[in-house]
């Protein structure tokens, strides 16, 4: 069951934070001449947030405690940056009146539907990292050492 959840997390990560954030940000950067520098900067941060989430998801697959702690920081900060950039681009799109040429739907709805699903792999990776961190606390760091015979007493046999 755990491997299936990790596989689902990897599929969601490959599709949403990696491809959707990359192509949405690249489109904003590519059209920098018509959108302006501020929107291109938002595109850069959308790409950066996707890379943070992807690196956090990859780090949570390992059992090392430090990697899981870094994974928590990366995925949380990547999600926070992504949500802030979604808010900024959607508010700008609504204020500027951007809409789809064919259906006349607001472009902000398109950005929300394409970028908000990054929440799912982020939550899955944070749950996985927390479970891995809790497991690392259960395993002893030093192996059991048998006390020498001279130190054994009736009150304190081998611990």
């Amino acid at each position: 069951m755990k491997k299936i959840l990790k596989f689902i997390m990897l599929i969601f990560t490959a599709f949403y934070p990696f491809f959707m954030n990359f192509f949405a940000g690249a489109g904003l950067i590519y059209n920098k001449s018509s959108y302006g520098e501020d929107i291109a900067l938002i595109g850069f941060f959308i790409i950066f947030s996707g890379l943070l989430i992807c690196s956090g998801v990859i780090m949570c697959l390992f059992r090392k405690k430090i990697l899981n702690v870094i994974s928590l920081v990366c995925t949380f900060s990547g999600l926070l940056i992504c949500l802030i950039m979604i808010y900024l681009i959607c508010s700008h799109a609504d204020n500027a009146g951007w809409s789809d040429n064919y259906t006349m739907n607001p472009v902000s709805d398109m950005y929300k539907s394409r970028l908000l699903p990054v929440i799912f792999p982020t939550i899955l990776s944070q749950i996985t990292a927390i479970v891995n961190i809790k497991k690392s606390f259960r395993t002893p760091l030093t192996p059991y050492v048998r006390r020498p015979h001279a130190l054994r007493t009736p009150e304190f046999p081998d611990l």
Side-chain angles (χ1 to χ4, degrees):
M1 183 68 172
K2 189 175 177 183
K3 290 185 181 190
I4 293 172
L5 287 176
K6 284 185 180 181
F7 180 73
I8 291 171
M9 178 180 61
L10 285 175
I11 296 297
F12 272 125
T13 302
F15 190 68
Y16 287 110
F18 190 71
F19 287 117
M20 287 296 186
N21 283 20
F22 179 75
F23 287 124
L28 293 173
I29 292 171
Y30 180 76
N31 294 316
K32 176 173 53 173
S33 60
S34 60
Y35 293 156
E37 288 290 326
D38 294 337
I39 302 300
L41 191 62
I42 289 173
F44 169 75
F45 279 112
I46 288 174
I47 293 172
F48 181 69
S49 70
L51 291 176
L52 273 176
I53 293 171
C54 289
S55 63
V57 166
I58 291 171
M59 280 189 264
C60 83
L61 297 175
F62 302 105
R63 293 185 183 175
K64 296 241 180 216
K65 184 174 129 182
I66 188 69
L67 289 177
N68 286 294
V69 171
I70 294 171
S71 169
L72 283 174
V73 172
C74 284
T75 54
F76 180 75
S77 60
L79 180 66
L80 187 66
I81 292 171
C82 186
L83 292 176
I84 291 170
M85 293 305 123
I86 289 171
Y87 172 75
L88 291 176
I89 194 69
C90 289
S91 65
H92 178 78
D94 288 338
N95 291 336
W98 291 356
S99 62
D100 188 12
N101 291 338
Y102 301 111
T103 61
M104 297 307 290
N105 288 334
V107 173
S108 61
D109 291 342
M110 177 195 69
Y111 279 113
K112 288 176 191 172
S113 67
R114 289 184 182 178
L115 296 177
L116 276 180
V118 302
I119 294 172
F120 300 122
T122 303
I123 289 174
L124 285 175
S125 69
Q126 288 180 345
I127 290 171
T128 305
I130 289 170
V131 167
N132 286 342
I133 289 171
K134 288 197 180 242
K135 280 185 180 177
S136 69
F137 281 126
R138 280 190 239 148
T139 58
L141 297 176
T142 57
Y144 172 74
V145 178
R146 188 176 174 106
R147 295 175 61 184
H149 182 66
L151 295 178
R152 289 188 210 151
T153 60
E155 302 92 37
F156 300 106
D158 285 332
L159 297 177

